[in-house]
């Protein structure tokens, strides 16, 4: 019995040791506790940082799968026929004017509001008979410039998949009238602008699209409207853009091939040619000198700049310059072109003058050019009853002069300039002729 008790005592002690070991394991050290806390905190922060990314990935994948599923959904034959064979279509009446800059109002090529029209493709007219289409809601969207390629028709899902959204953290891509209502088949977009350039998308181009809001319409499919593809530039580029057409008061670098601060701009500035009006005046008075100033410009570039400058509206202002020695008067437009002349009290147009007399009048225009700030503005008009027959060619001194070229029209200003009576005796002889061709005796 004693041996048995000893065995039972040993067994009891062993059990106590095991229980004591378990108690020791449940009491971790202080450093272990601190380490576990730090690891748990780091893991929590990592999960918080990872959560938005995971949400975005899941969202994109779900949208992609849902879009694929929508394409695979069977459609009723009637609905499919409506989508594929409808003759209704939205169009932009006129294309937008280019170039387009961020935050700049988009207008059509004539400077008016963009206009959307609902038409029947068979007739090209608005289907006014469909009264249920008179108040359609239309959404204006930005579309990928590569869509739809060279096709003229597409499915609604294809159009929707190519609608461009703003970049993350940016403002909506389009601002303004992004929702309009068709009334009698027509809607106007009074204000529309892009908030971002087009350089960040693969095609580097946008289109403006218009689609019917599904909730506002239930009927045959109406094909969406699309403009031609275009680039959108940042607004800071507008500070350097060209004007089409340019204005007289525009800086000369607004003309094609003349860059702001560039070599051509500097050369023109050195000759006091600061505006488009200055450029055109010299082009009229002395085109050869203007070509010398821009001698490093190629012939093709020169032609492009001149053609652009000539699109500038001249306006109706008129200026007069009086010959200080003979009292004759020449009337000029804002770019120094001769509009009329008063000789010996009679009013004539340039084409009524002889070659020699035209040279004299053009010399007056050249004087006016160098004294432009002193010219008097006038409301000049040329009454029809003031026009006289073409003047006869002068005889005597002018006819035998060395600079007279027979059968050759003078189209540019001659080299001389009237500066005083002694140098003007040549013209005194010319205009001492009466209009019948007989010479009068000077005093």
């Amino acid at each position: 019995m004693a041996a048995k008790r000893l065995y039972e005592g040993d067994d009891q002690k062993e059990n106590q040791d095991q229980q004591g070991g378990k108690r020791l394991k449940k009491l971790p050290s202080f450093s272990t506790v601190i380490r576990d806390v730090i690891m748990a905190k780091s893991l929590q922060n990592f999960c918080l940082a990872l959560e938005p990314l995971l949400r975005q990935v899941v969202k994109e994948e779900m949208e992609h799968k849902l879009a694929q599923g929508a394409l695979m959904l069977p459609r009723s034959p009637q609905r499919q026929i409506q989508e594929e064979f409808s003759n209704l279509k939205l169009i932009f009446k006129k294309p937008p004017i280019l170039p387009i800059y961020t935050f700049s109002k988009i207008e059509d090529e004539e400077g008016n509001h963009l206009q959307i029209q609902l038409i029947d493709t068979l007739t090209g007219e608005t289907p006014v008979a469909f009264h249920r289409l008179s108040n359609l809601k239309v959404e204006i969207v930005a579309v990928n410039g590569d869509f739809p390629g060279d096709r003229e028709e597409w499915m609604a899902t294809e159009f929707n998949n190519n609608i461009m959204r703003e970049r993350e953290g940016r403002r909506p891509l389009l601002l303004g009238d992004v929702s309009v209502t068709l009334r009698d088949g027509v809607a106007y977009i009074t204000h529309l602008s892009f908030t971002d350039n087009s350089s960040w998308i693969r095609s580097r181009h946008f289109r403006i699209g218009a689609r019917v809001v599904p909730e506002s319409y239930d009927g045959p499919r109406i094909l969406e409207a699309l403009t031609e593809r275009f680039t959108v530039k940042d607004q800071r580029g507008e500070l350097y853009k060209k004007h089409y057409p340019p204005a007289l008061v525009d800086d000369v670098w607004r003309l094609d091939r003349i860059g702001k601060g560039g070599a051509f701009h500097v050369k023109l500035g050195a000759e006091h040619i600061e505006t488009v009006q200055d450029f055109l005046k010299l082009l009229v008075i002395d085109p050869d000198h203007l070509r010398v100033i821009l001698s490093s410009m190629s012939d093709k570039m020169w032609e492009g700049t001149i053609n652009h400058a000539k699109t500038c509206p001249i306006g109706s202002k008129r200026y007069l310059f009086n010959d200080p020695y003979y009292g004759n008067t020449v009337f000029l437009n804002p770019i120094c072109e001769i509009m009329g002349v008063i000789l010996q009290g009679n009013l004539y147009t340039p084409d009524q003058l002889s070659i020699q007399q035209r040279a004299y009048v053009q010399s007056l225009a050249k004087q006016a050019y160098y004294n432009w700030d002193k010219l008097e503005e006038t409301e000049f008009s040329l009454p029809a009853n003031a026009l006289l027959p073409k003047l006869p060619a002068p005889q005597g001194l002018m006819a035998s002069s060395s600079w007279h070229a027979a059968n050759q029209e003078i189209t540019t200003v001659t080299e001389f300039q009237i500066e005083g009576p002694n140098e003007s005796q040549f013209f005194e002889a010319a205009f001492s002729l009466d209009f019948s061709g007989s010479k009068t005796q000077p005093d």
Side-chain angles (χ1 to χ4, degrees):
M1 295 294 291
K4 186 176 181 181
R5 288 194 197 98
L6 180 62
Y7 177 79
E8 289 177 352
D10 292 341
D11 187 43
Q12 184 177 5
K13 183 177 181 180
E14 184 179 354
N15 291 337
Q16 290 177 353
D17 292 340
Q18 289 178 355
Q19 291 177 1
K22 289 182 180 180
R23 284 196 298 271
L24 290 176
K25 287 182 181 180
K26 290 182 180 180
L27 298 175
S29 65
F30 179 75
S31 60
T32 302
V33 172
I34 297 300
R35 184 174 64 251
D36 292 343
V37 170
I38 293 175
M39 290 180 62
K41 188 67 176 177
S42 300
L43 181 60
Q44 182 180 7
N45 292 338
F46 176 74
C47 292
L48 290 175
L50 191 61
E51 182 180 1
L53 178 62
L54 293 175
R55 287 180 179 274
Q56 182 66 22
V57 172
V58 172
K59 178 182 177 182
E60 291 179 356
E61 288 298 322
M62 289 296 295
E63 290 178 349
H64 181 66
K65 294 299 182 182
L66 288 174
Q68 288 183 335
L71 291 175
M72 298 171 59
L73 289 176
R75 294 175 296 170
S76 65
Q78 181 179 3
R79 184 63 179 176
Q80 186 173 359
I81 291 174
Q82 287 179 342
E83 290 192 2
E84 293 179 354
F85 297 100
S86 173
N87 296 325
L88 301 178
K89 179 181 181 180
L90 291 175
I91 63 168
F92 286 95
K93 192 74 172 179
K94 294 177 182 176
I97 189 171
L98 303 178
I100 294 177
Y101 294 87
T102 54
F103 299 102
S104 293
K105 181 180 177 181
I106 301 174
E107 298 176 328
D108 69 20
E109 59 185 0
E110 295 184 357
N112 301 318
H113 300 318
L114 287 178
Q115 180 180 348
I116 301 172
Q117 184 178 3
L118 173 65
I119 65 169
D120 186 329
T121 56
L122 297 180
T123 63
E125 301 293 335
T126 301
V128 293
F130 294 91
H131 298 292
R132 60 195 176 114
L133 305 181
S134 61
N135 292 312
L136 288 178
K137 299 292 184 182
V138 176
E139 181 184 10
I140 310 302
V141 295
V143 179
N144 190 333
D146 282 346
F147 178 79
D150 56 356
R151 295 180 298 162
E152 295 185 358
E153 294 185 353
W154 50 86
M155 303 302 295
T157 50
E158 293 178 298
F159 181 90
N160 296 337
N161 290 339
N162 281 277
I163 293 177
M164 302 302 302
R165 304 296 181 186
E166 67 275 8
R167 286 189 277 182
E168 185 176 357
R170 299 292 186 96
R171 302 173 66 179
L173 191 54
L174 283 177
L175 292 180
D177 298 337
V178 295
S179 180
V180 294
T181 301
L182 284 177
R183 301 191 185 282
D184 297 326
V186 177
Y188 293 92
I189 305 174
T190 58
H191 188 276
L192 187 71
S193 63
F194 280 89
T195 63
D196 201 356
N197 63 61
S198 58
S199 63
W200 54 278
I201 63 174
R202 182 176 181 180
S203 68
R204 301 292 192 272
H205 291 79
F206 286 137
R207 297 179 191 262
I208 300 175
R211 64 174 181 176
V212 174
V213 177
E215 292 77 9
S216 68
Y217 172 72
D218 183 19
R221 183 183 170 220
I222 299 177
L223 190 66
E224 298 80 7
L226 282 175
T227 65
E228 294 296 323
R229 64 198 302 244
F230 52 80
T231 59
V232 177
K233 303 178 182 179
D234 283 325
Q235 189 180 32
R236 60 179 178 267
E238 188 173 12
L239 300 176
Y240 299 91
K241 76 174 182 178
K242 307 302 181 180
H243 288 172
Y244 300 94
L248 289 174
V249 297
D250 280 346
D251 292 317
V252 70
W253 55 262
R254 296 288 187 182
L255 295 177
D256 284 343
R257 280 80 173 180
I258 301 177
K260 184 177 182 181
F264 298 143
H265 187 204
V266 172
K267 291 179 179 179
L268 291 169
E271 297 288 336
H272 306 290
I273 303 173
E274 304 290 346
T275 66
V276 174
Q277 184 179 15
D278 296 336
F279 185 92
L280 287 171
K281 286 193 298 183
L282 185 57
L283 179 64
V284 170
I285 293 299
D286 196 349
D288 291 337
H289 180 51
L290 181 60
R291 189 67 180 99
V292 170
I293 297 173
L294 301 176
S295 57
S296 58
M297 180 180 282
S298 68
D299 291 340
K300 185 176 181 180
M301 293 175 65
W302 165 262
E303 183 179 354
T305 302
I306 297 303
N307 290 338
H308 185 204
K310 288 181 177 179
T311 63
C312 176
I314 302 303
S316 59
K317 288 185 178 181
R318 298 293 181 262
Y319 303 86
L320 63 85
F321 176 77
N322 294 313
D323 183 346
Y325 305 109
Y326 299 101
N328 298 313
T329 301
V330 61
F331 296 93
L332 307 168
N333 69 8
I335 62 172
C336 229
E337 290 177 329
I338 300 170
M339 307 303 295
V341 60
I342 296 178
L343 300 176
Q344 297 182 347
N346 295 305
L347 182 62
Y348 297 93
T349 58
D351 60 349
Q352 291 178 303
L353 303 177
S354 66
I355 294 176
Q356 297 86 354
Q357 292 155 344
R358 191 180 304 172
Y360 162 70
V361 172
Q362 287 177 327
S363 72
L364 293 182
K366 188 172 185 179
Q367 289 187 82
Y369 172 78
Y370 288 110
N371 296 276
W372 190 261
D373 294 338
K374 300 178 182 178
L375 298 190
E376 179 183 347
E377 187 174 338
T378 182
E379 295 181 359
F380 169 78
S381 60
L382 199 61
N385 56 7
L387 301 180
L388 297 179
K390 185 178 178 69
L391 295 172
Q395 305 296 324
L397 180 59
M398 291 197 72
S400 60
S401 63
S402 60
W403 58 270
H404 174 60
N407 301 322
Q408 180 178 357
E409 288 290 333
I410 297 179
T411 57
T412 60
V413 176
T414 55
E415 296 296 330
F416 53 81
Q417 179 177 347
I418 299 177
E419 295 181 354
N422 293 334
E423 298 177 5
S424 302
Q425 290 177 355
F426 184 78
F427 294 111
E428 182 178 1
F431 284 95
S432 63
L433 299 171
D434 63 17
F435 296 114
S436 63
S438 61
K439 190 178 190 321
T440 60
Q441 294 296 329
D443 296 334

